[in-house]
Amino acid sequence: MKKILGAALVLSYGLSVSSAAESLLAFPTAEGFGRYTLGVRAANAPEVYHVTNLNDSGTGSLRDAVSKDGRIVVFDVSGIIKLKSTLVFKGNSIIAGQTAPGDGVVVYGDRVSFSGAKNLIMRHMRFRMGKGAPSGKKDAAGVANGTDMIFDHMSISWGRDETFSISWDNKGSKPANITIQNSIIGQGLHDHSCGGLIQTDGGVTLFRNLYIDNKTRNPKVKGLNQFVNNVVYNWGGGGGYIMGDSEGDSWATVEDNYFIGGPNSSGTSAFTRGTQTFQIYQKGNYIDADGNGQMNGTLAATESDGSFYGSKIVTAPDKFANLPQPFATITQQTSAKEAYDYIVKEVGASFPSRDEVDKYMIGELTSLGKKGAIISDETSLGIANVVGNFKSGTKTDSDKDGIPDEWEDKMGLNKDDASDALKKDASGYLNIEIYLNGLVDGYTPVEKSIETPTDTTTEMPTDTTAETPTDTSKIGTPTDSSGIETPADSTKIVNPENPSALPKASTIARKSGMATVHVFNHLGQRIAIRQVYVTEGQKISIPGMPRNSIYVVK
């Protein structure tokens, strides 16, 4: 493999505030079609709402919190929220499950709906429908209409029809620009037991999710779908990834996923029901269906070995016919095995901690074929309180602005001034978003008196070589190439054909501070913007970025 000089060069490079805002991610690790979801930044008069009890309804309840748009919903309680009817979420909002103290919250007993919403950001929430749901045989969670949503680190289970579906009902806005990432979609209840329908040409990204213990539809896809770095475990008689099963036009890029058979997977296919109207580009997908307790999958090839039988194989991502819109660049894409490793450790609502139901499913997954079941009643799992036990916790927020006092101190805010939470930081995020993102994305707030350094160059590290990624198409021009900015002197960023032309550069920061870091690939194309804390004397590195990325500090 060709080696190039790929040290991460850190320079002071001035980008306009407007250009940064145009490409500001929903949160620093957002990916896919929904990555630019605005959340509460789309609201005219945003407000913070505290969930203060576990009641089904009334002041301080989750139902009251999500009944109005334009809200950042934070949790002051942990435990089980038992639903008595369908819970409907409004848009222009952020639902921050990561703020719950103790072991977090779980919403149990009926379905939830995101239909009709726009600009909805939701992270670290658990929704478990259950056999006795008053709504009857419905989806545990779903989007029938609405646009611009991103769901991150969700745990969704026990649907009586589908578990999590995005499928247009021909009302309102066709679902578009939606991402589900780092989430568990599992244990759809028999006699249907389905992962979900993903049916819209508006664009849905499924990135780094776990589909587990669903008889079928893991998922069933029609329309524009990006299926990257997912794990499908113990699919049942209906098969794993269903390729259309329809005469409707579909476009799918299916890359670096792992399909692992379980006790219910015998005699069924990981990929099934393809049609010639289903265009598919695939690479790096592994299938391990022998159930022997070892990870020894083989590479899924093409239609010739039956893996994608019936579908129309596309040989490159730019070879689709009549593609509705370009696929989003996935900056954190890895191999299928690396995706499996991440999923085992991090998938689902894992902050503040992973609950007993998710631990049960991860235990099945790591048996690598030995454990797993299609269930018809959630009580059969034998877990205490059906959904597990949840430890309580406390936090102090003197001004009730949603940011705990300890974080206000670290961020240089006034813990007696509630208005500062909704003020924008220089990065373009609201101050409260800096806190919300910092909880789970690994970015630490600093006091405002610490300034971002303008000179972070030092001596070049001894070993600055890095391999060119195998699939450089994944770090190429973003969907909206109009937003790409090339530094004024791109030869001082990187010239892979002439490494000697590089100035002295380093991944080592000379000063500490919060910085907005613009990430470029080796061609000088911006591929991401991240807000990170750089520490004096330590290497600057952002998880998920290509190995030869160039970091430019604003």
Side-chain angles (χ1 to χ4, degrees), residues 429-442:
Y429 291 109
L430 304 181
N431 281 323
I432 191 170
E433 290 182 280
I434 302 299
Y435 155 63
L436 299 178
N437 298 337
L439 280 174
V440 291
D441 292 329

Side-chain angles (χ1 to χ4, degrees), residues 285-302:
N285 298 293
Y286 281 81
I287 301 174
D288 182 0
D290 58 19
N292 66 355
Q294 300 178 14
M295 179 166 274
N296 53 2
T298 57
L299 194 64
T302 61

Side-chain angles (χ1 to χ4, degrees), residues 231-281:
V231 172
V232 179
Y233 181 76
N234 192 36
W235 65 89
Y241 186 96
I242 298 177
M243 302 174 290
D245 191 28
S246 167
E247 294 305 312
D249 290 329
S250 295
W251 310 262
T253 177
V254 179
E255 304 179 37
D256 300 308
N257 304 286
Y258 225 116
F259 291 76
I260 305 171
N264 299 101
S265 303
S266 177
T268 58
S269 300
F271 295 93
T272 186
R273 300 189 229 173
T275 66
Q276 281 298 293
T277 57
F278 194 92
Q279 300 177 58
I280 182 170
Y281 169 74

Side-chain angles (χ1 to χ4, degrees), residues 201 223-224 248-252 276-281 312-327:
D201 60 11
L224 182 62
D249 290 329
S250 295
W251 310 262
Q276 281 298 293
T277 57
F278 194 92
Q279 300 177 58
I280 182 170
Y281 169 74
K312 186 174 182 179
I313 302 298
V314 176
T315 57
D318 60 354
K319 300 297 184 181
F320 286 94
N322 303 315
L323 189 68
Q325 62 171 306
F327 288 103

